[in-house]
Structures are given as C-alpha cells and as structure tokens.
Amino acid sequence: SKIPFFQKLWAKHDFDPSDVKSLEDMHKIPQYTIDDIRESIERKPPFGDYQSLLFEDAAHTPLRFYTSGGTTGAPRPTIYSQWDREVGAILSARTFYLQGIRPGDAVINAWAYSTHNAAWIMDHALWHWNGAIPITTGTGNVTPTQKQVEFAKNYGAAAITATSDYLLHIAETAKKMGYDPKTDFNFKTMLSFGDTKAVEDAFGVPAYDSYAFHEVQYVAAECPAKQGLHIFEDAFIVEVCDFETGEPLPPGHRGNIVVTCLYKTGTQQIRYNIQDISGMYEEYECECGSVHKRLEYFQGRSDTMVKLRGVNVWPEACGKIIQEHDYLNGEYFCYVERVKPEGKPSRDEMTIMVETKAQETDSYKVQQEVVELLKQKVGVQINVEVVAPDSLREKTGHGERAKLKRFEDRR
C-alpha cells in the first residue's frame, strides 16, 4: 500500500499483502478501528495519514469533503473522489428503489444538510438516480417539524427519510396539528434507521431499515420480505468478528461488523472494524429473490458496552427493553460513572433516564418496575431515573439532531 496509515498498521502486525491468496485469507489482514483513525489524525492533523487524496488533488479531479457526525467522539474527516460519490449514490438509490421509491415520488429528506454526508448522498441518489424529487428540509433545527409536516401535506410526499426517532417525532407533531399520519397524507413508504415497527404503527405504511456509515455510505438494506439486510456484495466484503479475538464468526453468532470496501478511491476501508454489533444469517434465497448475504439488524455498539459486575451491558439493548413498559414513551438516555459506596470499593454504575408518556404518573412505582424489568432481562441491576415527557430533548437532541445521542461516559 502507498497509504502511510496502512503501511504503519501492517508493519506493526508483520503483514504483507502477498499473504492474501484468496478470500479465505482475508482474516490475515489486520483490522483497525475508529481509535486508529483518531491516532492517525493526531499523528498528522487535520486529515490524518489515511487519505489517498488531499485538497490540492482537486486541481485534477473533483472532490467532496465530509466528516462523521461525532456521536462517538471527534468528527472523522473523509475526502471522497467523484467516483466514490457516484457509486455511493447508486448504492443509495438501489436502497431506495428496493424500499419502494419510484420516479416522480416526492421525498422529504429530513437528514442534516451539514458536514455529514448522509443528507447529501441521499439527495443526489434520489434526484439523479431514482428520478424522485427530494424536498430538502433538513432536521427540525433547520426546518421546524411543523413546517416539514406542512410540506409533506401540501406537496404530497410519498416518503420521508430520517432516523426512526425523528420519524416518530414527525408523527407526533402531525397529530398535535390535527392530522392523522395514517390517513391524511400521501405516504407509501418510510426510509428509516432503527425501530421500523414503531414507525409503521405511527404512519400505517411499510418502514424499512438499512445499514450505512460515514466513510462508505450504504452497505446493506432491508427488502419487503423483512428477513434481514441484504449486503451489497458487489461493493463490500462484510464479516462479523468476535469481540475479543477478532476472528470471523459463522452465521448465527453476534460480533463486530468488519467492512472491506471494494470501490473507494479517496480513502480505503480494508477490514475496518466499525464496532457496530450484528450477526450474519444463514445463506439461502430470500423471498424477494435475492441470494446476497444478509446481515442481522443493528444491535448497538461494542464501544459503548459497559461491564457491570461482570455482565456486559449495552445502552441500546436497555433502550429496547424499556419500550416494553406501558407507561414509558420509549425515550431514554444512559450514562455510566465511577462511584464509591461507603465502606465498599469503587465500581462502575449505569443509570438509564426514561420518560413517561404522561405528566401524571406514579414515578416511584414505574421506577421500581423498570429496575426489576432490566434486572430480569439484563441480569444486573441498573439505576433508573424517571423523568417527565420531553425532559431528555436537550441530552439526546430529539427534534434537532438526525442521529440522537443516547449514551455518555462520565468516568
């Protein structure tokens, strides 16, 4: 490799590209994580030494510059070539077509038009490759949610693309404005990331999940059969690897998603351990006719895992569990801190803050029930703080951020 980042990484692990003779040898290539990218940026700011192209290369080839959203640390800069952006847009358009978007459809794009690439690549895919018309509202921080509801109503939007959290917020806002999200709009599909069932219940139309991340855009997408996420195998090699050993796991076992991108030129992703948790399905033909490998739905991040009294706890898993309680609205925020109980050694404690559906709720009773529910499901006691509806907006960014913040490490 001519890229200093990979030269250093591979030399550290005594790896040479000639060691790989076939796909069966992929596991020999050293993995890297976001921490390695951060070290690269510290080593050679501001771009790091993992880029293939720099700004001066725009003199001979069109470039785009975006950064990650920063929800897991400092934003990661990435330079994209024209080829990277066009292939990324085609993969995005493939996702949207698979999930019901057709030429002439108006689509509310409620992702943040910012330094993050999500809204931009969706926008390009929708109009240039799908023949759809993106209505570029951005998040509620740019275009108030009430105004987005009006756009959807007035212009007959067929879909909204946003996180599931924000789609549910749009549905609630529509209800407050006197609309029925299921009957008063022209929606036929929802393009979401996260809890699709709640979105389907709110809008009365199919909602589809996908898997994507900053550096490579769309990796896998759900089809109408809803039997997992189809991996775009013409663009990626995806592995699921053991949390501890890094060894590839067979179908049915959960671990970290490790991605090798086959098309990027601005930056390369070669066995990038993104630290998202998932698993592979057994290989068989899907009801939709595809024979592509399928990824399980996103299960959380291994780098937000908290070990409490020997038990691995993921904030995202706790968030799913609290949705089972009838008096909670599903909003949550977790934090972990180091505490020293009197007369006892210091230990880590996690607290989950949860919102009730109504102001008039017996908070103590709910708190006790949720503590017990989490203990039954997770196997360890987690502190629970019950708060009023809408109290967590400032912490999570609900209604403003496209990707909500759900965890904070205070140790």
Side-chain angles (χ1 to χ4, degrees):
S1 173
K2 298 179 180 179
I3 302 172
F5 174 82
F6 287 110
Q7 291 176 341
K8 292 182 177 70
L9 176 70
W10 294 350
K12 178 181 176 181
H13 293 274
D14 195 27
F15 168 79
D16 187 272
S18 63
D19 296 338
V20 177
K21 309 296 184 184
S22 68
L23 286 177
E24 283 66 38
D25 295 329
M26 283 287 295
H27 68 279
K28 297 179 181 179
I29 305 174
Q31 298 177 20
Y32 67 97
T33 69
I34 289 172
D35 290 334
D36 295 302
I37 294 178
R38 289 174 185 148
E39 289 178 9
S40 171
I41 295 169
E42 291 176 3
R43 190 163 59 234
K44 190 174 181 181
F47 296 105
D49 59 1
Y50 59 90
Q51 314 278 354
S52 298
L53 300 169
L54 295 173
F55 282 0
E56 54 263 32
D57 293 303
H60 61 81
T61 185
L63 300 177
R64 295 300 300 261
F65 170 82
Y66 297 100
T67 70
S68 65
T71 53
T72 59
R76 309 183 303 277
T78 301
I79 296 173
Y80 301 81
S81 68
Q82 176 65 26
W83 171 262
D84 297 343
R85 297 303 289 170
E86 214 60 64
V87 176
I90 291 170
L91 296 175
S92 304
R94 178 189 291 175
T95 298
F96 301 150
Y97 191 89
L98 184 67
Q99 299 176 351
I101 298 301
R102 296 294 182 268
D105 286 341
V107 179
I108 300 285
N109 188 344
W111 287 83
Y113 282 80
S114 65
T115 55
H116 192 276
N117 72 351
W120 302 100
I121 200 66
M122 293 173 184
D123 184 280
H124 185 63
L126 286 165
W127 75 266
H128 189 71
W129 291 102
N130 288 115
I133 305 94
I135 299 176
T136 55
T137 60
T139 65
N141 202 33
V142 177
T143 306
T145 306
Q146 294 91 334
K147 182 65 70 175
Q148 299 202 34
V149 171
E150 292 173 4
F151 274 120
K153 177 66 176 175
N154 294 339
Y155 296 103
I160 305 173
T161 176
T163 62
S164 294
D165 292 313
Y166 191 55
L167 286 170
L168 294 174
H169 179 63
I170 291 174
E172 285 302 312
T173 301
K175 289 178 183 177
K176 291 176 182 177
M177 294 170 65
Y179 294 115
D180 184 340
K182 296 181 180 179
T183 61
D184 291 339
F185 296 87
N186 191 46
F187 299 134
K188 66 176 183 178
T189 183
M190 290 289 154
L191 312 173
S192 63
F193 284 83
D195 184 3
T196 56
K197 184 181 184 305
V199 174
E200 290 179 338
D201 291 343
F203 288 97
V205 298
Y208 296 102
D209 202 358
S210 304
Y211 181 71
F213 59 90
H214 160 68
E215 283 89 355
V216 301
Q217 300 141 140
Y218 278 88
V219 177
E222 186 176 39
C223 74
K226 289 185 171 287
Q227 297 177 346
L229 309 177
H230 290 287
I231 298 169
F232 299 144
E233 293 188 79
D234 52 351
F236 303 99
I237 297 172
V238 177
E239 304 165 89
V240 173
C241 296
D242 186 88
F243 297 122
E244 302 296 333
T245 67
E247 289 299 311
L249 295 170
H253 296 264
R254 286 180 178 166
N256 283 327
I257 297 175
V258 176
V259 174
T260 298
C261 185
L262 303 177
Y263 74 89
K264 292 286 297 303
T265 58
T267 61
Q268 275 76 52
Q269 287 72 41
I270 304 173
R271 297 205 83 211
Y272 182 14
N273 183 343
I274 193 64
Q275 295 176 295
D276 285 340
I277 302 169
S278 186
M280 289 286 196
Y281 284 94
E282 294 286 350
E283 292 185 43
Y284 60 86
E285 184 174 331
C286 177
E287 288 178 13
C288 75
S290 173
V291 293
H292 283 187
K293 291 179 180 177
R294 287 173 298 123
L295 198 62
E296 285 186 11
Y297 299 96
F298 175 73
Q299 300 295 320
R301 289 192 56 80
S302 61
D303 59 350
T304 61
M305 184 197 77
V306 179
K307 188 176 283 293
L308 300 177
R309 275 79 76 193
V311 177
N312 296 338
V313 180
W314 284 273
E316 296 88 352
C318 294
K320 290 181 180 179
I321 292 168
I322 62 105
Q323 292 177 9
E324 298 177 17
H325 197 285
D326 293 337
Y327 288 91
L328 301 180
N329 65 11
E331 284 301 309
Y332 72 95
F333 182 82
C334 297
Y335 62 89
V336 62
E337 55 191 349
R338 191 76 173 166
V339 300
K340 191 179 187 312
E342 187 175 348
K344 296 182 180 180
S346 297
R347 67 182 190 183
D348 291 337
E349 290 281 3
M350 193 169 90
T351 300
I352 181 168
M353 304 174 71
V354 295
E355 287 186 0
T356 57
K357 289 180 179 177
Q359 292 279 359
E360 301 79 16
T361 302
D362 186 341
S363 296
Y364 177 77
K365 181 175 182 291
V366 171
Q367 187 260 348
Q368 293 296 306
E369 291 174 350
V370 176
V371 167
E372 186 60 29
L373 177 65
L374 288 168
K375 191 172 183 178
Q376 289 176 359
K377 299 280 188 176
V378 179
V380 68
Q381 182 158 324
I382 295 168
N383 300 323
V384 175
E385 183 179 342
V386 179
V387 300
D390 296 333
S391 298
L392 298 179
R393 286 180 179 274
E394 187 175 340
K395 294 182 182 297
T396 64
H398 198 168
E400 296 182 359
R401 296 178 58 150
K403 188 176 181 182
L404 302 190
K405 183 177 181 180
R406 297 292 192 183
F407 176 75
E408 183 174 276
D409 193 336
R410 300 179 181 178
R411 289 172 291 187

